[in-house]
Amino acid sequence: MFCSNCGKEIKPGQKFCGYCGTMVPGAHIVQKDTFYVRKLPLVMIVLMTLGLIITSFTMGAGSMAVAMAISFLQGIILIVLIYRLDRIEPEPVSLLVKLFMLGAILLPIVAMIMESVIEAMVDVISAPGTVTNSILDAFLVAAFTEEICKYAVLKKLTWKHPSFNFRFDGVVYSTTVAIGFEVAENLLYLVGSDASTAFLRSAFPGHCIFGIYMGYYYGQAKSLELMGDSKGSARMRRKGILTAILIHGIYDSVAMVCSASEDEILIFTCMLALVTIMCVLNVNAYKNIKRYAHEDTHV
């Protein structure tokens, strides 16, 4: 059998393509009902994103205690929501606590050390403050370093764990590590900053969204591994990492170019692009995670 999307050969027993991830026609997937996402939540997500962005411009003098609480609670709420979507077989809380704590405590330290080294190399290649330097910083210093660090913890703690037996588990594990890192990063950003930063960062839970995409392919990779397709599994894991780096890098590139530029037209264009990216990714993340949970199946 060959994939209807990419044309690659699909081995007997596989439920999705090991190259592009397309589901095999007629594969036995448990479906409770026809999947669809109601429009009202999508509208509410867009309004909430815009509301937090607008609030960030008017709350610079707000309470730092409130700002820090917002940054922390955002992550906890996201973990609870994703955990509740895993209805077939919820993951052990002890494992999720380990993933969160490593993401919040160990990863920021390791990432900062790696980022300082790579940033020094980037500054040699391109002059600080230039568009090229901002893009290299976004992709190499931030996106590559942070996503690789999160993946390393994810694979070390979960790949051979007996609880990793459903595809959606990969999303749960990946987002838990990512949210732990995001909570710590938000709190670090607030040191020496103000409440407006907390509201702006709450408008876009970037690491959680990057983690959703990485976790989706990570869950598929586990399924391929158990079917004996180790090459397909490795390919799917790489796809998850590269997808997360790409989305992360594009978002950070726009943000860094905006903050480094003195051109008013470029700043306005970048700000408009950032708002659009935030809304689109927030909505897509909600739709995708609902779909992934709905299509969940045993690996």
Side-chain angles (χ1 to χ4, degrees):
M1 180 182 294
F2 295 89
C3 177
S4 59
N5 182 50
C6 68
K8 300 291 185 179
E9 184 178 2
I10 299 175
K11 295 182 179 180
Q14 290 186 355
K15 295 183 180 179
F16 47 86
C17 178
Y19 289 85
C20 68
T22 300
M23 192 173 296
V24 176
H28 297 290
I29 302 296
V30 177
Q31 296 280 0
K32 294 182 178 179
D33 48 35
T34 302
F35 174 74
Y36 68 96
V37 177
R38 297 181 184 276
K39 294 182 179 179
L40 181 58
L42 305 184
V43 174
M44 294 300 295
I45 289 172
V46 172
L47 292 178
M48 185 178 296
T49 302
L50 294 175
L52 287 168
I53 293 172
I54 294 171
T55 302
S56 71
F57 290 104
T58 61
M59 290 295 290
S63 168
M64 284 304 295
V66 173
M68 289 188 174
I70 290 172
S71 296
F72 183 77
L73 288 175
Q74 177 210 50
I76 301 303
I77 291 170
L78 287 171
I79 287 178
V80 172
L81 290 176
I82 293 171
Y83 180 80
R84 287 176 61 85
L85 284 173
D86 190 17
R87 296 174 182 174
I88 299 178
E89 185 183 83
E91 302 313 294
V93 175
S94 60
L95 175 59
L96 299 183
V97 170
K98 289 179 184 178
L99 290 168
F100 179 85
M101 295 305 294
L102 283 176
I105 298 174
L106 178 63
L107 286 191
I109 297 172
V110 176
M112 282 191 291
I113 294 173
M114 292 178 62
E115 285 174 343
S116 63
V117 174
I118 297 175
E119 187 172 17
M121 296 171 62
V122 168
D123 288 345
V124 172
I125 297 173
S126 60
T130 62
V131 172
T132 301
N133 184 267
S134 296
I135 294 175
L136 289 175
D137 264 349
F139 276 94
L140 298 180
V141 178
F144 173 79
T145 302
E146 293 171 6
E147 298 307 326
I148 286 295
C149 286
K150 286 184 287 186
Y151 173 76
V153 169
L154 173 67
K155 190 168 187 296
K156 178 67 176 177
L157 264 65
T158 66
W159 188 251
K160 295 183 179 180
H161 199 285
S163 295
F164 192 1
N165 53 0
F166 281 86
R167 289 215 324 256
F168 190 70
D169 294 349
V171 176
V172 177
Y173 299 150
S174 179
T175 52
T176 301
V177 175
I179 292 170
F181 183 85
E182 186 156 39
V183 167
E185 187 180 64
N186 284 347
L187 294 178
L188 288 172
Y189 265 96
L190 289 179
V191 176
S193 188
D194 53 32
S196 65
T197 303
F199 284 100
L200 185 59
R201 292 187 67 83
S202 296
F204 181 65
H207 287 288
C208 177
I209 291 174
F210 310 146
I212 290 173
Y213 290 99
M214 183 186 292
Y216 171 67
Y217 292 109
Y218 186 67
Q220 291 193 6
K222 180 66 173 180
S223 183
L224 288 169
E225 178 82 8
L226 293 178
M227 288 189 290
D229 187 1
S230 57
K231 291 184 178 179
S233 176
R235 188 182 304 111
M236 199 61 68
R237 293 198 302 273
R238 288 195 298 269
K239 187 171 184 178
I241 297 171
L242 291 174
T243 300
I245 291 174
L246 180 62
I247 299 172
H248 190 163
I250 291 174
Y251 174 79
D252 279 10
S253 291
V254 178
M256 290 181 181
V257 169
C258 182
S259 61
S261 177
E262 296 181 357
D263 187 326
E264 294 183 357
I265 296 177
L266 180 58
I267 291 174
F268 176 78
T269 303
C270 287
M271 289 182 65
L272 184 61
L274 275 179
V275 173
T276 302
I277 291 171
M278 286 181 182
C279 292
V280 170
L281 287 180
N282 282 346
V283 168
N284 279 340
Y286 174 80
K287 291 169 63 177
N288 286 338
I289 202 166
K290 294 282 285 185
R291 178 168 64 86
Y292 300 158
H294 182 81
E295 296 175 351
D296 195 17
T297 185
H298 202 286
V299 296

